[in-house]
Amino acid sequence: QVQVVESGGGLVQAGGSLRLSCAASGRTFSRYAMGWFRQAPGKEREFVARISYSGGSTYFADSVKGRFTISRDNAKNTVYLQMNSLKPEDTAIYYCAAGGYSDYPDKFDYWGQGTEVTVSS
């Protein structure tokens, strides 16, 4: 079982960067794949990035590929999402989740409360 808390969101101008953190509890943290998802008002939650339990495999949505990086530090029970070259369309609530290595939200068992990212034009 994993408890997940996101942080690092805020307001940034287009072209800027933010680094989101996902702190997780649990002795078995390193056994879970982790994912980042986002949801804008009135829209469905969408996949952003995922990372395998060891950190050896990552995958990104086409919309963020080349701009975002996901990483994890299992010793610190923390996952990061480095977001560069931010665009207004990146504005959303960003959620961290623990579970399967998948693009689909229903494959993840544990979710944080989200952190808000707003990108101004």
Side-chain angles (χ1 to χ4, degrees):
Q1 185 157 288
V2 177
Q3 304 294 323
V4 180
V5 180
E6 305 96 334
S7 63
L11 175 65
V12 65
Q13 292 186 339
S17 298
L18 282 174
R19 179 180 167 97
L20 305 184
S21 297
C22 173
S25 65
R27 289 184 174 182
T28 60
F29 170 78
S30 64
R31 303 298 300 271
Y32 288 90
M34 301 293 293
W36 285 96
F37 296 80
R38 66 187 183 187
Q39 188 168 21
K43 297 183 178 180
E44 294 185 351
R45 189 166 299 187
E46 66 175 350
F47 167 77
V48 176
R50 66 178 187 242
I51 188 167
S52 63
Y53 72 91
S54 67
S57 181
T58 61
Y59 188 78
F60 300 89
D62 288 342
S63 59
V64 306
K65 194 172 299 181
R67 300 188 297 120
F68 290 12
T69 300
I70 187 171
S71 61
R72 69 189 297 164
D73 185 343
N74 287 344
K76 297 181 179 179
N77 283 7
T78 303
V79 178
Y80 305 97
L81 185 69
Q82 178 66 46
M83 305 185 295
N84 299 323
S85 301
L86 283 162
K87 304 175 181 179
E89 50 263 45
D90 295 319
T91 295
I93 306 296
Y94 283 72
Y95 297 91
C96 181
Y101 191 69
S102 175
D103 295 347
Y104 303 100
D106 62 352
K107 300 299 183 182
F108 291 81
D109 299 317
Y110 308 104
W111 293 82
Q113 296 300 304
T115 185
E116 186 174 7
V117 173
T118 302
V119 184
S120 62
S121 60

